[in-house]
Amino acid sequence: MIMFLIFATVLVLMLIGVTTAATMASASIATFLLAGGDPSRLFLVAQRMYAQVSGITLMSIPFFLLMGNLMSVGGVSKSLFGFGRVCLGHRWGGLSNAAIAACVIMAAMSGSAAACAAGIGLIAIGEMTKSGYSRSFSCATIAAGGALGPIIPPSITLILYAGLTQTSVNQLFGAGAVPGILLGVMFMMWSSFVCYRNNYAKTPRSAWSERWLAFKEAFFALLTPVIVIGGMFAGLFTATEAAAVASLYVLVLGLFVFKTLKFKDLPGIFWETVQQTAKVMFVIAAAGFFQYVLMYTRIPQDTIAFMSSTFSSVVPVLLLIILILVLMGCFMEGTAVLLITVPIFVPLMKSFGYDIVQLGIVMCISLAVGVLTPPVGLNLYVMSSITGEKVMAIAKDSVGYVLLMILMAALVAFIPELSLTLPKYIN
């Protein structure tokens, strides 16, 4: 009963416009007091909030946010889409495939869904619509490509999951690489089918000399994921150090290679990063006391006991987790959903002997669906703000991509080799 009241309160407060951090903090305090907690022990609020954000793993988040902001104005996305266009534009769905491929590479730099969608959308939408693609499908394709940001390493969602569960960041990054790339390939196949069915125009085949020029222009941008992921897997630096190095590298690219970034732009970019970091960290901090309240009211323990006595197999539990995450993602921001559900789902799946790294990828993909589903649908609103297209029109053309993401979440849930093979080699 207490668990139902907590989730109902959180959902109602967020639907009426209360911020995520304020919602979690107020719901936690109210639940603690209603459950018989001593009011004099509310000093634990500040203590738990500080402890939640003091881990070194989470310090990589502001650097990845900074890198995303630098890329959005630094010319990286333009060079990536240009390279994809000359290589793939002559195929059915070539421009949509080029946009998705650029999103995959952007995802391997920023780890943010919105950064991927905005960065590629500003460049690709004009060319796609000029070639006869419907605006809503173009927006849906780039929004779906952006949804790969939280899945393909480095992922802010996976960094947060690692901090909450004390799991290796490198193991999670390795586990997310193969499902993320496979999902990008599935997106390309679906977009090609839609383009073939609607007879969208193909661009003329580019000469090899043109492809070589595009490759040279994109070369330094293509090195970014190699620096970030390769450096981490090689043991040269941690996730936090990788984010700092990559931010500096993207800054140098924007200032001296692409020359689209000016020194006068930096104060605004830094301030935007500070604001984004404060918002994210405040939500994570508020979740610290929320997790304490869950343990105080024994909700995780009671959930484990109920699920263990109800289901003898892990299969229905996994399907239920995917369903819950997809539905919650329709109404709540993914970070908030992760912070609420990890303290319940992780102990539950541990009781079934399920691998926590594999669970992290399942949860990450399921939560990424939320950026494509209204009413929250972050990437839908990003693309709508860029193009002026109606949100529901974009959402309608996103249905195919949403179904593919749910399918991939189920495949990862029941085929451990998809997510756990690469981490074994990394280890």
Side-chain angles (χ1 to χ4, degrees):
M1 184 62 182
I2 293 178
M3 183 171 66
F4 173 77
L5 289 175
I6 291 176
F7 286 112
T9 302
V10 169
L11 183 60
V12 169
L13 288 174
M14 294 194 70
L15 288 176
I16 63 176
V18 180
T19 63
T20 302
T23 294
M24 298 186 72
S26 57
S28 302
I29 294 172
T31 303
F32 178 72
L33 296 175
L34 289 173
D38 185 355
S40 65
R41 293 183 62 80
L42 285 178
F43 71 87
L44 288 170
V45 176
Q47 183 187 85
R48 295 286 174 170
M49 289 178 72
Y50 173 77
Q52 188 74 3
V53 295
S54 59
I56 187 64
T57 301
L58 298 181
M59 290 306 298
S60 60
I61 292 178
F63 288 111
F64 280 120
L65 291 173
L66 173 61
M67 183 167 57
N69 290 331
L70 288 170
M71 286 193 300
S72 66
V73 295
V76 173
S77 54
K78 182 178 180 180
S79 65
L80 293 176
F81 177 72
F83 179 54
R85 177 180 54 78
V86 298
C87 291
L88 302 172
H90 61 279
R91 304 173 52 211
W92 283 112
L95 290 181
S96 62
N97 287 353
I100 294 170
C103 285
V104 168
I105 301 172
M106 284 279 286
M109 300 180 191
S110 67
S112 167
C116 291
I120 300 300
L122 289 168
I123 307 300
I125 288 292
E127 287 204 39
M128 293 175 72
T129 53
K130 193 183 301 181
S131 297
Y133 287 65
S134 73
R135 188 178 295 274
S136 60
F137 175 72
S138 302
C139 291
T141 298
I142 296 172
L148 298 172
I151 303 170
I152 295 175
S155 160
I156 293 175
T157 303
L158 290 179
I159 292 171
L160 179 54
Y161 180 88
L164 295 172
T165 61
Q166 303 304 307
T167 310
S168 165
V169 175
N170 281 14
Q171 292 287 297
L172 285 166
F173 280 5
V178 173
I181 293 172
L182 284 178
L183 192 55
V185 173
M186 292 166 67
F187 283 176
M188 289 183 181
M189 294 171 64
W190 173 253
S191 68
S192 294
F193 169 73
V194 173
C195 293
Y196 174 78
R197 184 181 62 187
N198 294 316
N199 198 30
Y200 291 148
K202 296 184 285 187
T203 60
R205 182 184 293 270
S206 300
W208 285 104
S209 58
E210 188 177 353
R211 297 182 186 186
W212 174 246
L213 289 174
F215 172 74
K216 288 197 295 183
E217 183 179 347
F219 176 75
F220 290 105
L222 292 170
L223 281 182
T224 310
V226 177
I227 293 172
V228 177
I229 302 172
M232 289 180 58
F233 289 170
L236 298 178
F237 32 66
T238 65
T240 303
E241 293 165 346
V245 170
S247 296
L248 178 61
Y249 180 74
V250 172
L251 175 63
V252 171
L253 285 185
L255 288 173
F256 304 112
V257 178
F258 299 116
K259 297 182 180 179
T260 54
L261 187 63
K262 308 297 181 185
F263 281 101
K264 65 180 181 181
D265 299 326
L266 296 183
I269 292 173
F270 292 151
W271 179 240
E272 176 70 18
T273 303
V274 168
Q275 290 179 308
Q276 292 173 347
T277 302
K279 292 176 183 177
V280 172
M281 289 301 187
F282 191 28
V283 173
I284 297 172
F289 188 66
F290 183 83
Q291 293 180 25
Y292 171 78
V293 170
L294 289 179
M295 298 302 296
Y296 178 81
T297 55
R298 295 189 57 81
I299 287 175
Q301 296 91 323
D302 293 342
T303 302
I304 292 171
F306 171 75
M307 298 293 277
S308 300
S309 62
T310 305
F311 301 107
S312 58
S313 168
V314 74
V315 173
V317 179
L318 278 170
L319 293 175
L320 187 61
I321 286 175
I322 293 172
L323 177 63
I324 290 172
L325 292 174
V326 170
L327 291 177
M328 290 182 70
C330 293
F331 301 97
M332 299 173 64
E333 195 268 328
T335 301
V337 178
L338 188 73
L339 294 169
I340 292 171
T341 55
V342 160
I344 298 173
F345 290 163
V346 169
L348 172 62
M349 296 309 294
K350 280 184 177 179
S351 70
F352 282 96
Y354 197 79
D355 191 283
I356 300 307
V357 172
Q358 185 179 358
L359 176 64
I361 306 306
V362 174
M363 294 185 68
C364 185
I365 297 173
S366 302
L367 289 174
V369 174
V371 303
L372 298 177
T373 53
V376 173
L378 176 61
N379 280 13
L380 301 180
Y381 291 97
V382 169
M383 300 311 302
S384 177
S385 65
I386 291 174
T387 64
E389 185 67 40
K390 293 181 179 179
V391 169
M392 292 310 297
I394 303 173
K396 182 180 177 182
D397 282 341
S398 299
V399 171
Y401 297 112
V402 168
L403 295 177
L404 288 175
M405 294 183 74
I406 295 174
L407 173 62
M408 180 55 70
L411 290 174
V412 172
F414 299 115
I415 306 176
E417 291 77 12
L418 282 175
S419 56
L420 298 182
T421 300
L422 187 56
K424 289 179 182 177
Y425 287 106
I426 295 171
N427 205 32

